[in-house]
Amino acid sequence: MDLIDRSLLQFIQEDSRITVHELSKKLLLSPLSIKKRLQRLEKNGAIQSFTVILSPNVIGKNVKAIIQIANLKIKTQQFEEIIKGEKDILECHRITGINSYFMKTVFSSIKQLEAFTNRLSLYGKVDTSLIIASPVSHQISLPKTEYLQPSKNE
């Protein structure tokens, strides 16, 4: 990965709908070169997917919570299969420490959150915190610059 790749990643993280033509203007490269770089970055896993981030409030999911679960009563693989079907979980991470899982969730109502945490309590000790504000959300993450080398190909 070189400095051009890093710039390319920054531009598409800021706006994944940016066109190859716009990227070629910004990076002073041909559209074909941009396409090849994007394909290489996708192939090597640097770009996992292109997606849209919806606003939970606008789509009626006003109750946001962090849910942690500890003392899991079933095997981790079983638990993970169960929660994969839950559409109100935005993120779920298996973590170290006292808790086994950390989930970021959104619900239309407190009653839905309560029903979900009641179901989860069958599998372990549940700790729930309502999200009041998110001062940092979907921050752009780029590779460290000390690992980057100037491109010799272009």
Side-chain angles (χ1 to χ4, degrees):
M1 186 171 305
D2 62 23
L3 294 172
I4 295 171
D5 286 344
R6 184 177 192 274
S7 296
L8 182 58
L9 290 173
Q10 183 171 350
F11 286 131
I12 63 173
Q13 278 193 92
E14 290 169 356
D15 179 7
S16 64
R17 294 181 354 159
I18 190 169
T19 66
V20 169
H21 182 70
E22 289 173 290
L23 287 167
S24 70
K25 280 183 181 178
K26 289 179 181 276
L27 296 170
L28 304 174
L29 295 172
S30 72
L32 180 60
S33 178
I34 296 293
K35 281 183 183 180
K36 285 182 180 180
R37 283 177 177 272
L38 286 170
Q39 289 169 344
R40 181 177 41 77
L41 289 166
E42 283 183 85
K43 186 177 177 182
N44 73 19
I47 299 172
Q48 291 181 348
S49 68
F50 292 88
T51 189
V52 172
I53 300 169
L54 302 177
S55 170
N57 293 342
V58 174
I59 61 171
K61 303 251 181 163
N62 300 317
V63 178
K64 295 171 255 176
I66 299 297
I67 300 173
Q68 297 185 72
I69 188 161
N71 305 326
L72 206 56
K73 298 175 185 175
I74 61 175
K75 292 183 178 182
T76 57
Q77 293 82 0
Q78 282 180 289
F79 181 74
E80 289 173 9
E81 283 305 312
I82 291 166
I83 62 169
K84 282 180 184 175
E86 296 289 341
K87 300 301 180 200
D88 292 318
I89 298 174
L90 298 178
E91 297 177 31
C92 179
H93 307 277
R94 189 165 33 164
I95 58 174
T96 61
I98 295 170
N99 294 304
S100 301
Y101 288 90
F102 176 96
M103 294 174 246
K104 182 177 177 185
T105 61
V106 291
F107 296 92
S108 298
S109 68
I110 291 289
K111 286 205 178 288
Q112 286 182 343
L113 171 61
E114 180 183 20
F116 180 69
T117 56
N118 287 343
R119 286 194 318 270
L120 278 182
S121 68
L122 299 172
Y123 307 113
K125 180 184 173 294
V126 177
D127 181 44
T128 305
S129 301
L130 291 177
I131 298 173
I132 296 169
S134 300
V136 178
S137 181
H138 307 292
Q139 186 157 278
I140 294 172
S141 176
L142 293 171
K144 290 184 174 186
T145 55
E146 64 259 23
Y147 298 117
L148 302 175
Q149 301 296 319
S151 176
K152 294 176 183 161
N153 300 351
E154 301 177 60

